[in-house]
Amino acid sequence: MQSPGCLMAGRRPSLWPVSKTPPIYDQRYPARQLLDVIAGKWTPIILYCLSGGTRRFSELQHQIPDISKKMLIQVLRRLESDGIVARTVYPVVPPKTEYRLTPLGRRIHEPVAMLCQWAVENEKDLKTVMRKRGVTAQD
Amino acid sequence: MQSPGCLMAGRRPSLWPVSKTPPIYDQRYPARQLLDVIAGKWTPIILYCLSGGTRRFSELQHQIPDISKKMLIQVLRRLESDGIVARTVYPVVPPKTEYRLTPLGRRIHEPVAMLCQWAVENEKDLKTVMRKRGVTAQD
DNA sequence: ATTCATGGTTACTTTTAGGTAACTACTATT
DNA sequence: AATAGTAGTTACCTAAAAGTAACCATGAAT
């Protein structure tokens, strides 16, 4: 997989890396855009949880115990404004809010799932890298 | 693709998200490890360039014109210490240094290539997201 | 004598991501 | 009367990532 189209926008598939003045590296590169959307510390795990179906705020909090309220809501709000997550508020008391993936969200979850699958299948390679970084995966 | 094994280490494939005390979100999740390695702003494009073969420092600089020397060398050094990139210095003057992917680096490039492929095939979905973010991909 | 290209290094600043803790409002339960 | 659970908000702080600009040594070409 080596075609120049991979990292760059489809508009100039033959200009780079061949061109003498390659296009500027910016947010037009699809792979960069994708990573900008999914690469946050909590984003993949939240997408993963929601890929299992609709979840209440507190359910997500319990499934991801290390996340703070602030980060959970911050990521959810960003995903919502990205059109990836839909939020439904039930006007009851105590409050009840549900989050679920939109159709677009389900598409965005695809590459996350691919990444997960590759990562599990190639855990040894990842462990090699982590070991070189001094991340001891004891326990 | 919904098995709990995807985001978490293979050791506890059935404990989460079923368990009442799910494992702590940390660097043991393979997908997280993978993203920690490939998700930097410049890392994917550098891996992509090197996937095309051995490159001199200046070649990389010209292929990625927006990157600063500092960032290029910083990422290359990190990839080198991760065992993903190999560096060969020729003791000539002017200096000549070559960078290439190691076998491990070629493996790590696989998911990057997958991401790239998905991103190009689903550019419309990505554009939808970027538009909602106000990133106008004019030109 | 000066400039260019090579492959860097260094110090400093800005920007972004992420984390902590306290606070809100409402109701039910003890 | 105090506490817990719900879904948040707010102000503040730290750490990491990224960017800027100047500097270095060398030798060849001008």
Side-chain angles (χ1 to χ4, degrees), chain B residues 56 58 69 73 77 87 95 99:
Chain B
R56 291 187 65 170
S58 51
K69 272 181 172 190
I73 213 157
R77 289 282 147 85
R87 175 169 168 263
Y99 294 90

Tab-separated table of all heavy atoms in Angstrom, chain B residues 56 58 69 73 77 87 95 99, chain C residues 5-12:
chain	number	residue	atom	x	y	z
B	56	ARG	N	17.098	9.868	2.904
B	56	ARG	CA	18.023	10.749	3.614
B	56	ARG	C	17.232	11.764	4.413
B	56	ARG	O	16.060	12.028	4.117
B	56	ARG	CB	18.913	11.507	2.613
B	56	ARG	CG	19.894	10.620	1.901
B	56	ARG	CD	20.835	11.458	1.068
B	56	ARG	NE	21.680	12.335	1.896
B	56	ARG	CZ	22.703	13.016	1.416
B	56	ARG	NH1	23.006	12.939	0.131
B	56	ARG	NH2	23.416	13.778	2.209
B	58	SER	N	17.483	14.947	4.420
B	58	SER	CA	17.054	16.078	3.588
B	58	SER	C	15.919	15.675	2.647
B	58	SER	O	15.082	16.517	2.305
B	58	SER	CB	18.234	16.620	2.789
B	58	SER	OG	18.891	15.572	2.110
B	69	LYS	N	13.004	21.102	11.283
B	69	LYS	CA	14.104	20.188	11.567
B	69	LYS	C	13.923	19.520	12.914
B	69	LYS	O	14.088	18.320	13.071
B	69	LYS	CB	15.420	20.967	11.596
B	69	LYS	CG	16.092	21.108	10.278
B	69	LYS	CD	17.403	21.880	10.445
B	69	LYS	CE	18.187	21.859	9.150
B	69	LYS	NZ	19.541	22.377	9.299
B	73	ILE	N	13.571	15.476	13.390
B	73	ILE	CA	14.581	14.682	14.073
B	73	ILE	C	14.040	14.103	15.372
B	73	ILE	O	14.367	12.980	15.755
B	73	ILE	CB	15.837	15.530	14.306
B	73	ILE	CG1	17.047	14.606	14.227
B	73	ILE	CG2	15.804	16.285	15.605
B	73	ILE	CD1	18.279	15.349	13.893
B	77	ARG	N	14.086	10.183	16.009
B	77	ARG	CA	14.822	9.632	17.146
B	77	ARG	C	13.928	8.753	18.011
B	77	ARG	O	14.340	7.729	18.531
B	77	ARG	CB	15.414	10.771	17.985
B	77	ARG	CG	16.564	11.491	17.333
B	77	ARG	CD	17.880	10.720	17.432
B	77	ARG	NE	18.696	10.969	16.240
B	77	ARG	CZ	19.515	11.993	16.060
B	77	ARG	NH1	19.675	12.874	17.010
B	77	ARG	NH2	20.208	12.130	14.946
B	87	ARG	N	18.881	4.007	11.609
B	87	ARG	CA	19.596	5.196	11.153
B	87	ARG	C	21.019	4.783	10.798
B	87	ARG	O	21.690	4.101	11.579
B	87	ARG	CB	19.595	6.227	12.289
B	87	ARG	CG	20.392	7.480	12.060
B	87	ARG	CD	20.051	8.482	13.155
B	87	ARG	NE	20.957	9.609	13.196
B	87	ARG	CZ	22.003	9.699	14.016
B	87	ARG	NH1	22.269	8.723	14.852
B	87	ARG	NH2	22.768	10.774	13.992
B	95	PRO	N	27.683	15.815	5.728
B	95	PRO	CA	27.142	14.620	6.362
B	95	PRO	C	26.084	13.935	5.512
B	95	PRO	O	25.400	14.566	4.713
B	95	PRO	CB	26.505	15.161	7.642
B	95	PRO	CG	27.038	16.502	7.855
B	95	PRO	CD	27.522	17.018	6.550
B	99	TYR	N	17.711	6.955	6.746
B	99	TYR	CA	16.707	6.365	7.633
B	99	TYR	C	15.902	5.341	6.856
B	99	TYR	O	15.571	5.551	5.697
B	99	TYR	CB	15.773	7.461	8.159
B	99	TYR	CG	16.466	8.466	9.058
B	99	TYR	CD1	17.046	9.614	8.537
B	99	TYR	CD2	16.556	8.235	10.423
B	99	TYR	CE1	17.692	10.533	9.364
B	99	TYR	CE2	17.192	9.150	11.251
B	99	TYR	CZ	17.754	10.287	10.713
B	99	TYR	OH	18.402	11.185	11.525
C	5	DA	P	21.616	25.880	-0.926
C	5	DA	OP1	20.842	25.625	-2.161
C	5	DA	OP2	21.012	26.628	0.195
C	5	DA	O5'	22.121	24.480	-0.358
C	5	DA	C5'	22.916	23.623	-1.177
C	5	DA	C4'	23.415	22.482	-0.323
C	5	DA	O4'	24.466	22.977	0.532
C	5	DA	C3'	22.343	21.899	0.607
C	5	DA	O3'	22.202	20.501	0.369
C	5	DA	C2'	22.853	22.152	2.016
C	5	DA	C1'	24.337	22.412	1.810
C	5	DA	N9	24.864	23.374	2.794
C	5	DA	C8	24.330	24.583	3.142
C	5	DA	N7	25.022	25.218	4.060
C	5	DA	C5	26.073	24.368	4.346
C	5	DA	C6	27.156	24.445	5.241
C	5	DA	N6	27.362	25.494	6.046
C	5	DA	N1	28.027	23.416	5.274
C	5	DA	C2	27.813	22.374	4.477
C	5	DA	N3	26.838	22.170	3.588
C	5	DA	C4	25.989	23.218	3.576
C	6	DT	P	21.132	19.649	1.209
C	6	DT	OP1	20.654	18.576	0.306
C	6	DT	OP2	20.181	20.551	1.882
C	6	DT	O5'	22.008	18.951	2.329
C	6	DT	C5'	23.092	18.105	1.966
C	6	DT	C4'	23.885	17.781	3.205
C	6	DT	O4'	24.458	19.007	3.701
C	6	DT	C3'	23.015	17.301	4.358
C	6	DT	O3'	22.963	15.895	4.360
C	6	DT	C2'	23.747	17.816	5.605
C	6	DT	C1'	24.719	18.852	5.069
C	6	DT	N1	24.594	20.192	5.724
C	6	DT	C2	25.535	20.567	6.647
C	6	DT	O2	26.479	19.862	6.967
C	6	DT	N3	25.342	21.810	7.197
C	6	DT	C4	24.312	22.690	6.914
C	6	DT	O4	24.250	23.784	7.476
C	6	DT	C5	23.356	22.229	5.943
C	6	DT	C7	22.190	23.096	5.574
C	6	DT	C6	23.537	21.014	5.395
C	7	DG	P	21.769	15.126	5.002
C	7	DG	OP1	21.887	13.692	4.698
C	7	DG	OP2	20.528	15.873	4.686
C	7	DG	O5'	22.084	15.324	6.551
C	7	DG	C5'	23.227	14.673	7.110
C	7	DG	C4'	23.373	15.057	8.550
C	7	DG	O4'	23.564	16.501	8.623
C	7	DG	C3'	22.119	14.775	9.405
C	7	DG	O3'	22.511	14.264	10.685
C	7	DG	C2'	21.497	16.136	9.564
C	7	DG	C1'	22.741	16.990	9.645
C	7	DG	N9	22.510	18.425	9.463
C	7	DG	C8	21.569	19.035	8.676
C	7	DG	N7	21.595	20.337	8.771
C	7	DG	C5	22.612	20.612	9.678
C	7	DG	C6	23.104	21.846	10.192
C	7	DG	O6	22.724	22.975	9.939
C	7	DG	N1	24.151	21.654	11.094
C	7	DG	C2	24.669	20.428	11.454
C	7	DG	N2	25.671	20.435	12.339
C	7	DG	N3	24.226	19.274	10.986
C	7	DG	C4	23.198	19.440	10.109
C	8	DG	P	21.392	13.494	11.549
C	8	DG	OP1	22.073	12.930	12.699
C	8	DG	OP2	20.648	12.612	10.646
C	8	DG	O5'	20.398	14.669	11.952
C	8	DG	C5'	20.314	15.176	13.273
C	8	DG	C4'	21.498	16.059	13.651
C	8	DG	O4'	21.612	17.142	12.714
C	8	DG	C3'	21.333	16.729	15.001
C	8	DG	O3'	21.807	15.890	16.020
C	8	DG	C2'	22.187	17.973	14.869
C	8	DG	C1'	22.195	18.241	13.356
C	8	DG	N9	21.441	19.452	12.965
C	8	DG	C8	20.374	19.491	12.102
C	8	DG	N7	19.915	20.703	11.898
C	8	DG	C5	20.726	21.504	12.684
C	8	DG	C6	20.712	22.907	12.886
C	8	DG	O6	19.946	23.746	12.386
C	8	DG	N1	21.701	23.316	13.766
C	8	DG	C2	22.603	22.479	14.387
C	8	DG	N2	23.475	23.060	15.204
C	8	DG	N3	22.631	21.180	14.205
C	8	DG	C4	21.670	20.753	13.349
C	9	DT	P	21.198	15.902	17.450
C	9	DT	OP1	21.884	14.891	18.286
C	9	DT	OP2	19.737	15.866	17.303
C	9	DT	O5'	21.584	17.351	18.006
C	9	DT	C5'	22.961	17.665	18.239
C	9	DT	C4'	23.042	19.040	18.881
C	9	DT	O4'	22.507	20.020	17.958
C	9	DT	C3'	22.216	19.158	20.173
C	9	DT	O3'	23.088	19.622	21.189
C	9	DT	C2'	21.109	20.157	19.838
C	9	DT	C1'	21.683	20.920	18.661
C	9	DT	N1	20.681	21.412	17.695
C	9	DT	C2	20.469	22.764	17.569
C	9	DT	O2	21.061	23.601	18.225
C	9	DT	N3	19.531	23.111	16.625
C	9	DT	C4	18.794	22.262	15.822
C	9	DT	O4	17.988	22.697	15.015
C	9	DT	C5	19.062	20.859	16.022
C	9	DT	C7	18.323	19.843	15.206
C	9	DT	C6	19.974	20.497	16.929
C	10	DT	P	22.620	19.626	22.712
C	10	DT	OP1	23.840	19.520	23.506
C	10	DT	OP2	21.513	18.668	22.887
C	10	DT	O5'	21.999	21.085	22.891
C	10	DT	C5'	22.801	22.226	22.637
C	10	DT	C4'	21.950	23.488	22.768
C	10	DT	O4'	21.126	23.617	21.592
C	10	DT	C3'	20.998	23.486	23.953
C	10	DT	O3'	21.487	24.415	24.915
C	10	DT	C2'	19.641	23.919	23.382
C	10	DT	C1'	19.956	24.302	21.952
C	10	DT	N1	18.929	23.916	20.943
C	10	DT	C2	18.350	24.911	20.176
C	10	DT	O2	18.619	26.085	20.293
C	10	DT	N3	17.429	24.460	19.256
C	10	DT	C4	17.043	23.146	19.036
C	10	DT	O4	16.209	22.870	18.177
C	10	DT	C5	17.687	22.167	19.875
C	10	DT	C7	17.349	20.714	19.721
C	10	DT	C6	18.587	22.598	20.778
C	11	DA	P	20.797	24.537	26.366
C	11	DA	OP1	21.849	24.933	27.326
C	11	DA	OP2	19.956	23.351	26.636
C	11	DA	O5'	19.831	25.789	26.152
C	11	DA	C5'	20.324	26.979	25.530
C	11	DA	C4'	19.159	27.921	25.266
C	11	DA	O4'	18.417	27.463	24.112
C	11	DA	C3'	18.158	28.001	26.424
C	11	DA	O3'	17.902	29.369	26.712
C	11	DA	C2'	16.920	27.279	25.893
C	11	DA	C1'	17.037	27.506	24.388
C	11	DA	N9	16.389	26.470	23.574
C	11	DA	C8	16.439	25.117	23.741
C	11	DA	N7	15.749	24.433	22.846
C	11	DA	C5	15.202	25.415	22.038
C	11	DA	C6	14.373	25.356	20.913
C	11	DA	N6	13.918	24.213	20.373
C	11	DA	N1	14.008	26.522	20.343
C	11	DA	C2	14.452	27.659	20.871
C	11	DA	N3	15.239	27.857	21.923
C	11	DA	C4	15.588	26.676	22.474
C	12	DC	P	16.981	29.802	27.933
C	12	DC	OP1	17.552	31.048	28.467
C	12	DC	OP2	16.749	28.643	28.811
C	12	DC	O5'	15.602	30.159	27.207
C	12	DC	C5'	15.614	31.040	26.075
C	12	DC	C4'	14.283	30.987	25.369
C	12	DC	O4'	14.154	29.739	24.642
C	12	DC	C3'	13.071	31.056	26.307
C	12	DC	O3'	12.375	32.260	26.080
C	12	DC	C2'	12.234	29.827	25.949
C	12	DC	C1'	12.786	29.406	24.602
C	12	DC	N1	12.641	27.938	24.354
C	12	DC	C2	11.936	27.525	23.228
C	12	DC	O2	11.466	28.373	22.462
C	12	DC	N3	11.781	26.190	22.994
C	12	DC	C4	12.299	25.303	23.842
C	12	DC	N4	12.120	24.006	23.567
C	12	DC	C5	13.026	25.704	24.994
C	12	DC	C6	13.175	27.020	25.212
